[in-house]
Amino acid sequence: METLRCLISDIPQKLLSDIVVRITQQHENIEVVDRVSDSKNLDSILKQQSIDVLILGLKTNCLPEFCRDILDKFSDLLIVGLCDDGRLATVYLDDVSSHEIIKIIRTFGKR
């Protein structure tokens, strides 16, 4: 299985950020490339490094405007938004195919 390269950004609670890192480190095919506390540099980081998944702290489950710009530039990027204390997660994909929709339904339909 191919290694997924993750970037963690804007998770204000250090404990939650540490938990996310610990959870991802338990899987050999997931690599946390970097942790940043400010989304201002996301565009340049994404240009410099090959990132598959952006794990982003959010205040609400709405995608911030700067993320729409990022998805326009990096259409293969998966954004996982962790809202508030991390108990609510929202997944954002750009240009979703019908195959991907079915895969999402099958993956998360029965939890």
Side-chain angles (χ1 to χ4, degrees):
M1 182 176 259
E2 186 177 324
T3 298
L4 293 171
R5 295 172 47 86
C6 297
L7 173 64
I8 298 173
S9 178
D10 286 355
I11 298 179
Q13 306 93 336
K14 180 168 176 14
L15 179 62
L16 178 58
S17 180
D18 291 344
I19 289 170
V20 171
V21 169
R22 202 167 325 123
I23 289 168
T24 56
Q25 287 176 338
Q26 293 175 1
H27 298 274
E28 61 186 40
N29 64 331
I30 300 174
E31 175 189 358
V32 175
V33 178
D34 202 356
R35 288 164 70 170
V36 295
S37 59
D38 191 352
S39 59
K40 292 178 188 173
N41 298 324
L42 285 180
D43 194 69
S44 64
I45 293 170
L46 292 168
K47 286 178 183 174
Q48 293 172 3
Q49 300 187 45
S50 175
I51 303 294
D52 302 300
V53 180
L54 171 60
I55 302 172
L56 183 66
L58 299 175
K59 292 185 172 96
T60 69
N61 63 348
C62 296
L63 187 65
E65 189 60 40
F66 73 88
C67 286
R68 296 179 201 284
D69 296 335
I70 287 173
L71 285 172
D72 285 343
K73 294 176 187 173
F74 307 96
S75 60
D76 290 339
L77 183 67
L78 167 67
I79 298 177
V80 176
L82 297 177
C83 304
D84 295 324
D85 62 358
R87 294 183 200 190
L88 175 66
T90 306
V91 176
Y92 299 96
L93 298 166
D94 190 34
D95 197 22
V96 180
S97 69
S98 58
H99 173 73
E100 289 170 319
I101 292 171
I102 296 302
K103 186 176 178 180
I104 291 167
I105 292 169
R106 286 190 175 143
T107 301
F108 296 106
K110 282 203 170 195
R111 300 181 342 145

